[in-house]
Amino acid sequence: MFSLFVDTTQDYCNLAILKNAKIVVKSSVRTHNNLTDVVVEHIDSLIEKAKIKQKDIKKILVVIGPGSFTGVRIGTIVAKAWALTNGAKIYQINSLLLQLPKGNGVSLLDAKGNNFYFGMYKNNKPISKPTMIDGTQAESLVKKHRNKDIFIQYKSVDVFDNLVFHLQNFKLVKNIDALTPLYIKEAV
């Protein structure tokens, strides 16, 4: 069975096609103001490289945020559109958990304006609810938890390795209308 991975929550559009639990083709493209075009263009390119048809993709693995307001929206819209037109099932995960290579540690993602999205996990389960903190709080948190693994903005991790590790942590979206972006801060 083929799956399509879509992560548009950060500065890169990360896409992959998997067969069962193995990545067949992948793409990571830095985006600017062209995210919608990049997503569609690169999905088409990956399908061509994988030598499959759109209807062969039965699962959509989507990252729902937190992250870029526009990116989070586009990822969920692509997942919904794909499910509606191709009959695929949607599975979701948040970007804070996806960043953690083994599902343990502190996850910080840039929320702009000296703010960070924050999550702490143990055995793939949240210890705290994903939230937004300021730079001072982030520094304090890093000092306080220096004995834990701390991951900031996907530095020193490979999103595609993490994808494979976290496949079992994607949650089935039973009702397509229930798929909503994980917004922690208001749009600017």
Side-chain angles (χ1 to χ4, degrees):
M1 174 188 319
F2 289 97
S3 303
L4 172 65
F5 169 68
V6 179
D7 177 12
T8 55
T9 62
Q10 305 304 310
D11 294 334
Y12 287 82
C13 172
N14 296 306
L15 303 167
I17 293 178
L18 299 88
K19 183 172 184 181
N20 301 319
K22 188 172 177 103
I23 294 174
V24 177
V25 290
K26 62 185 178 181
S27 171
S28 185
V29 179
R30 186 161 183 78
T31 59
H32 302 287
N33 294 330
N34 60 343
L35 185 56
T36 305
D37 297 333
V38 167
V39 172
V40 173
E41 177 184 314
H42 285 275
I43 289 173
D44 288 345
S45 175
L46 288 179
I47 288 170
E48 188 177 308
K49 286 179 187 173
K51 296 180 170 80
I52 62 171
K53 294 180 172 56
Q54 284 186 2
K55 66 180 179 153
D56 295 331
I57 295 173
K58 301 299 181 192
K59 289 170 79 173
I60 307 299
L61 308 168
V62 64
V63 183
I64 59 166
S68 154
F69 184 80
T70 301
V72 169
R73 264 195 345 239
I74 288 174
T76 55
I77 289 168
V78 165
K80 284 181 177 183
W82 199 280
L84 288 170
T85 58
N86 296 298
K89 292 187 179 194
I90 301 173
Y91 294 77
Q92 68 180 21
I93 194 169
N94 79 57
S95 52
L96 291 164
L97 177 57
L98 182 65
Q99 179 177 218
L100 300 176
K102 301 293 181 197
N104 293 303
V106 173
S107 184
L108 293 165
L109 294 170
D110 186 9
K112 308 294 186 230
N114 196 34
N115 292 307
F116 293 87
Y117 299 116
F118 160 75
M120 192 177 332
Y121 295 82
K122 184 172 183 175
N123 299 322
N124 304 308
K125 305 285 185 226
I127 294 173
S128 64
K129 181 180 171 187
T131 188
M132 190 167 65
I133 60 175
D134 65 33
T136 304
Q137 290 170 305
E139 284 179 33
S140 174
L141 193 122
V142 167
K143 287 178 187 173
K144 178 180 177 184
H145 296 287
R146 65 179 160 261
N147 61 331
K148 290 184 172 50
D149 291 330
I150 299 171
F151 297 90
I152 303 170
Q153 204 60 31
Y154 286 91
K155 288 182 175 71
S156 72
V157 298
D158 182 305
V159 70
F160 298 108
D161 288 343
N162 287 9
L163 162 63
V164 172
F165 174 81
H166 283 291
L167 283 173
Q168 77 279 359
N169 294 318
F170 280 81
K171 302 293 182 212
L172 174 64
V173 177
K174 294 179 182 170
N175 174 356
I176 194 169
D177 294 327
L179 177 66
T180 56
L182 176 56
Y183 296 127
I184 294 178
K185 73 175 187 177
E186 297 295 319
V188 191

